[in-house]
Every structure is written in C-alpha cells, then in structure tokens.
Amino acid sequence: IKYRNVQSDVMNLDDYLTLALGVFFVILIMCIFTFALSKTGYLKSETDGKLDKRNCAVLIVVFGLLAIMATNYFALVYVNGLKIHMRDFVALAAGLVGGPVVGLGAGLIGGLDRYLLGGVTAMPCGVGTVLSGLIGGAVWYFGGKRYPKIWIAAVTMLAAESLHILLAYFFSDPVFAGQEVVPTVALPLLIVNTVGIIAFSWVYRRYMADDRD
C-alpha cells in the first residue's frame, strides 16, 4: 500500500481514494474480528449490560489493537505532516459495542500509542481518542445498554471528532503550530471517521447485534 503525503491545504481525488482504501481495510478488519467475537460468545451479553470481566478484557485488547493499526498501518494520507487517521472511530465503536469500560480501555490503548508517536498534537490527539471511547460508552449506557441506531452513532462520531479537533487546535505544543496545520485536516478527519462508524454500524446492526433491525 502506497502512502500519500499532501503538501498543500487541499486534497485531490486521488488523495480521497487512497483515504477510502484505508477506511475500507479498517472496517473490514473490524468486522472480521467483531464477527468472530460474536460467534465465540464474547458479545452475547452485549445487549443486557452484563459483559463480564473476561469479555471486557478481550474487547479492550481487540479494539485497542485495532486502534493502533488504524493509526500506524491504515492512515494512508498525510496532510502537511499530520495523518488522516481512523483511530477515533475505532475507539468510539468499542464504547458503542461494549460500554464505558471497553471504550475507555480501547481509547487508552489507542491514545497512548498516539501520544508515544510524538509531534505537536501528541497530547491532545491522545486525549481525544480516550474521550471518543468514553463518549461511545456513554451513548451505549444511556441508550439502554445496547448498540445505538446508525444515525445516533454518526452524530456521536461527529461530536467526538469535533471535540478532538478543538483539543488539537487549542492545546497543541506549540499552540501556533497546531493552529496552522489542524484546520487543513479537520474536514478529512470528520469525513473518514464518520463514514467509518456509519459503515461499521450498518454491518454490526445487520449481522452481529442481538437486537437486529
């Protein structure tokens, strides 16, 4: 897979197609792992809010590793040195599938990995991923402890990613560097993470959730 490094503020069609390829691979791997978990019993209690410690631990590890992969292997486009990643939608999906504990755990794994990579946005981006997992878990908890409808997942992702972008804009180190580059990646980040959660939610609710429509 070839990475693309965009040195301007505007992405062209080829850049978005490369971005779409990364999104496809992340969704495909997420669906494979989640489907496998659903068939081995780790998601059977997902809809009644009674995930045990073993189930939670497995989900945290799986989604945490997927978040790392989304950052390091499938963020195929760089804009002015910043990756257009899909880490946040993986963390949010973890919370939507397994609740606050799973969302927090996966978010911490993905967020710590991002922080250790360094860069001007390391801290706010790491924190943003943790918050995405927590927000997804909160929606699961207050929504009847089950996976939400697709439009709710999409709106939640937009809100979580917007918060992440604001954190990166105001709390980068140095701040002026973040304020220079963050606006150039804001729209692609919103698009890929929202498209990602919509696609995953459709597959999950149709084929894996206990309360399928």
Side-chain angles (χ1 to χ4, degrees):
I1 300 175
K2 185 177 180 180
Y3 291 82
R4 297 183 66 86
N5 194 358
V6 182
Q7 298 295 336
S8 67
D9 294 346
V10 179
M11 294 170 55
N12 60 35
L13 179 60
D14 288 341
D15 298 327
Y16 276 103
L17 290 175
T18 303
L19 204 57
L21 180 63
V23 174
F24 171 78
F25 279 120
V26 172
I27 294 170
L28 177 63
I29 294 171
M30 283 182 66
C31 289
I32 290 172
F33 275 98
T34 308
F35 183 77
L37 291 174
S38 71
K39 295 303 180 183
T40 55
Y42 287 100
L43 297 180
K44 284 186 176 179
S45 57
E46 175 259 337
T47 58
D48 61 17
K50 294 180 181 178
L51 282 170
D52 60 28
K53 292 180 180 179
R54 184 193 66 166
N55 289 20
C56 283
V58 171
L59 290 175
I60 287 170
V61 171
V62 168
F63 278 97
L65 291 176
L66 288 170
I68 291 174
M69 293 173 65
T71 300
N72 294 284
Y73 299 106
F74 298 112
L76 303 181
V77 177
Y78 293 73
V79 177
N80 295 321
L82 293 183
K83 288 182 178 181
I84 309 299
H85 65 84
M86 294 141 281
R87 176 180 65 251
D88 288 349
F89 107 71
V90 177
L92 187 102
L96 295 179
V97 168
V101 173
V102 175
L104 174 61
L108 283 171
I109 293 173
L112 179 61
D113 172 71
R114 172 60 189 92
Y115 174 74
L116 293 176
L117 291 174
V120 298
T121 62
M123 178 61 76
C125 283
V127 172
T129 299
V130 176
L131 291 177
S132 292
L134 280 174
I135 291 170
V139 170
W140 174 89
Y141 183 83
F142 292 107
K145 297 183 178 179
R146 62 184 66 239
Y147 202 96
K149 293 185 180 298
I150 295 174
W151 73 267
I152 295 176
V155 171
T156 303
M157 186 72 260
L158 282 171
E161 195 61 26
S162 296
L163 176 60
H164 181 153
I165 291 167
L166 289 173
L167 288 173
Y169 186 82
F170 287 109
F171 297 102
S172 294
D173 184 19
V175 173
F176 73 86
Q179 293 179 346
E180 181 178 336
V181 297
V182 168
T184 67
V185 300
L187 182 59
L189 282 172
L190 287 169
I191 291 173
V192 297
N193 282 282
T194 303
V195 169
I197 201 66
I198 289 173
F200 175 76
S201 297
W202 183 84
V203 174
Y204 183 82
R205 288 186 59 84
R206 185 172 181 85
Y207 297 106
M208 289 173 268
D210 291 343
D211 56 335
R212 301 171 195 170
D213 292 336

